[in-house]
Amino acid sequence: MLDTDAIFPVRRIFCVGRNYAEHAKEMGADPQREPPFFFTKPADAVAADGSDVPYPSATSNLHHEVELVIAIAVRGQNIAPSAALDHVFGYAVGNDLTRRDLQATAKKTGRPWDTAKGFDQSAPIAAISPVDRCGHISNGKISLSVNGECRQTGDISDMIWSTAEIISTLSTLFTLQPGDLIFTGTPAGVGALKPGDVIEACIDGLPTLRHGIASRD
């Protein structure tokens, strides 16, 4: 966590799909017709800021997806949108690494996305900023660069479903618990990574996430 050696005890990782209109379009979806949907990553998918993430096996098309991450501190079920932000501990910048070729196959065959999204170190995340330090993040630039070249840029206010709406909807499906993380979707511009790449992901008001892509073991 920001400015401390304390570790946020990650319990589960939830992710929102297609939560920016332009990204939904580049993935071939219609953002006006889809309610929020969710997928998960295991808690040990987290990779710390500054890590060199090994290029994963079984893919030749690893993609980056910069995202605002919500850290949950207060248990809740069927949470009203008006009360949702009371459950937030803080926010961070994350990168939802994706085996895009495996995801495309899963979509075509109607299979789960687990192998595309939930592999080892598939969730690099920067230090979490507590709400009392950063406030609630509802707008501000979100961007990602690879080797100094900007790949993704947008604004948090472009999210189709707001932080409060995401928490509220997710809490109708699961009882949210302290330690849960929620990746909130990515703007357009996702693209391929290769060994040796250096990624820098930024959201205004939050610590920058920096990590590399290492060769396969």
Side-chain angles (χ1 to χ4, degrees):
M1 293 186 285
L2 183 64
D3 295 337
T4 176
D5 292 332
I7 302 297
F8 187 79
V10 178
R11 183 173 183 270
R12 295 175 294 188
I13 302 173
F14 299 102
C15 306
V16 184
R18 301 175 193 150
N19 198 30
Y20 287 77
E22 294 305 312
H23 174 60
K25 291 175 184 176
E26 76 178 350
M27 293 290 102
D30 182 348
Q32 303 305 317
R33 296 183 179 179
E34 292 188 350
F37 71 94
F38 303 91
F39 57 91
T40 62
K41 294 174 181 270
D44 62 3
V46 167
D49 183 43
S51 299
D52 280 330
V53 176
Y55 195 97
S57 62
T59 185
S60 58
N61 196 18
L62 176 69
H63 276 208
H64 56 76
E65 299 188 9
V66 60
E67 311 204 8
L68 174 68
V69 180
I70 307 164
I72 297 295
V74 179
R75 182 183 185 276
Q77 186 177 33
N78 297 318
I79 302 166
S82 60
L85 297 184
D86 295 337
H87 294 258
V88 177
F89 170 80
Y91 299 91
V93 182
N95 187 6
D96 170 20
L97 293 174
T98 304
R99 289 164 161 155
R100 191 70 72 201
D101 41 4
L102 299 192
Q103 185 188 37
T105 298
K107 288 179 180 179
K108 289 178 182 178
T109 57
R111 295 174 180 171
W113 290 9
D114 299 59
T115 57
K117 291 286 193 176
F119 54 92
D120 296 344
Q121 299 184 66
S122 60
I125 184 171
I128 297 171
S129 292
V131 168
D132 62 6
R133 293 284 299 277
C134 67
H136 288 290
I137 308 295
S138 60
N139 57 67
K141 183 179 179 181
I142 176 172
S143 63
L144 181 142
S145 64
V146 180
N147 303 326
E149 176 185 353
C150 185
R151 294 271 192 92
Q152 292 184 264
T153 186
D155 196 282
I156 297 299
S157 63
D158 295 334
M159 291 198 304
I160 297 168
W161 302 96
S162 69
T163 295
E165 290 169 328
I166 290 167
I167 293 169
S168 177
T169 302
L170 187 59
S171 75
T172 69
L173 301 170
F174 304 90
T175 300
L176 296 181
Q177 301 281 1
D180 289 341
L181 297 178
I182 307 171
F183 280 62
T184 60
T186 193
V190 300
L193 296 169
K194 64 183 185 303
D197 282 344
V198 176
I199 295 90
E200 186 170 282
C202 305
I203 294 174
D204 286 350
L206 295 176
T208 297
L209 169 65
R210 296 179 178 87
H211 73 88
I213 300 296
S215 298
R216 286 178 175 147
D217 293 337

